[in-house]
Amino acid sequence: MNQFPTLTSGVICMTPATIGTGFSTRVMRFCDDTEQRWVARGQHGVFVLTFTDISGIDLANLLDFFRSVKGRFDATWTLAINSTTYSNMALDSDDFVVVEQRPNCFSLQVSCKQVVDDPQVIAGNHRQGQSS
Amino acid sequence: MIYYPQIGTNGMMVQLPFSQTFSHLTSVSELDSGPRQSYAWRPNPLKAWDLSYAALEPIEYETLLNFFLGQQGRYAEFTFLDPGGNMVPASENFADASWEKDSTVVGASVAGPFSGSVATTITGTTNGMLASTVLPGGGAIALLLCGSVYVLSPSAGALVLGFIDSGFTLLASQSCSLPANQWTRISFAATLTSLLPVRLLIGGLNSWNGPLSLFGAQVSPLGAAGAYVRTPGNYGVHSSVRFDTDPLVPQYVGPGQIALKLRLTEHA
């Protein structure tokens, strides 16, 4: 099972980082203005990890991870952040976009989420700060 | 072989900010009942590049314009030597078959120059060498390439970096000084012309008498080494690339200054 890599500095990501929670509710609205709702998926973690001006070796580690999980394909990897390990993670996108703003300084964002319900996710857990 | 042009005397191909996109292609079905099914269509991601030229000189723009006209916009295919990639096929695995070894033995793994990285001990006789093909299609015409490698030597010495063609003709070389017991990235840039495939040469020419530790061999189409890029994860030779636009729309931003944005896409 893959694990999201840490940077050479030892942290998972930089600020700002989004560590959120989400649900997946289906809504069917009918012609007579009535509706039916049901829970497709319960509480799960939603994450946006930011990397600003990281080095080539850190980028190489992240890129190796992206290639190993094949974008959105793999939904079995784990993310260890703030002393909590989130399992059954999947990337939100098949695209891995890297911008070199200054020589040898790379910036990118990684959006990912849990694909199974996880009761350890605390509602409203939205944190900004260096995450490790 | 048609290469995307280097448009400056320093090998400039892109300006900052330089954006690269690695794209997988996945079909995903998330069923309401919970299960998730996914299928990966590509074994490896394809790349796209957003090239943003903030200030080109007219002669540089003309070089790009002529190349664009030659490709007829999105129509024709060319090879892009990726400034954000590494033209060495296996940058950290010197035991890989892509490395030709002569009087050289690839030994044990040792700690590399970066946290968590793994380097390789190389032993060899005085004239031992390693060579890896970096331009398999050949056809270099005044092409500026920069080779580099991280080296740890137990004693002060020197190591040759160079470029040879597939016929072992020495195209260019430089003896690089090595300090004792300190990871050092040595690099060497040269403008090459050869119709044959080009290879990076490490060692040889009576330059060293091991053992040495090596990590991260790299060749970039630049005048300097640039950020280290690992392969096979981010290979730098892309032979199936096209422009992603039919109109070329320059913006004249000042006297003798032209801004231009281009997107290149790789195809399977």
Side-chain angles (χ1 to χ4, degrees), chain B residues 128-217:
Chain B
M129 55 137 260
L130 294 157
S132 180
T133 301
V134 296
L135 200 65
I141 299 173
L143 187 64
L144 180 63
L145 297 180
C146 182
S148 61
V149 66
Y150 293 86
V151 188
L152 176 66
S153 173
S155 58
L159 183 68
V160 161
L161 271 185
F163 293 99
I164 57 177
D165 66 19
S166 58
F168 260 99
T169 299
L170 184 66
L171 302 174
S173 68
Q174 179 175 299
S175 180
C176 304
S177 298
L178 302 176
N181 293 315
Q182 182 181 331
W183 276 107
T184 304
R185 191 184 198 191
I186 57 174
S187 64
F188 167 57
T191 302
L192 309 175
T193 297
S194 173
L195 296 179
L196 296 174
V198 173
R199 298 190 287 173
L200 171 69
L201 173 71
I202 301 175
L205 304 174
N206 298 310
S207 70
W208 69 294
N209 193 3
L212 296 173
S213 296
L214 299 181
F215 174 83

Side-chain angles (χ1 to χ4, degrees), chain A residues 26 38 40 56-57 60-61 63-64 66-67 70-73 75 94-104 106, chain B residues 16-26 28 32 36 38-40 43-45 114-115 226-228 230 232-234:
Chain A
R26 298 284 188 267
W38 68 95
I57 192 76
N61 291 337
L63 183 55
D64 280 353
F66 174 76
R67 292 171 62 92
K70 297 183 185 299
R72 293 187 299 159
F73 172 70
D94 279 334
D95 292 337
F96 184 83
V97 183
V98 183
V99 178
E100 187 177 1
Q101 291 280 4
R102 296 185 290 129
N104 307 340
F106 303 93
Chain B
L16 299 178
F18 171 52
S19 174
Q20 317 170 60
T21 302
F22 301 79
S23 295
H24 273 289
L25 181 62
T26 309
V28 178
D32 281 355
R36 178 185 191 272
S38 60
Y39 183 82
N44 296 301
F114 303 105
S115 169
Y228 171 62
R230 179 184 296 151
N234 192 357

Side-chain angles (χ1 to χ4, degrees), chain B residues 52-70:
Chain B
S52 180
Y53 298 101
L56 289 172
E57 294 180 10
I59 192 168
E60 294 171 337
Y61 170 69
E62 195 171 322
T63 302
L64 275 181
L65 174 63
N66 288 335
F67 183 74
F68 184 81
L69 295 176

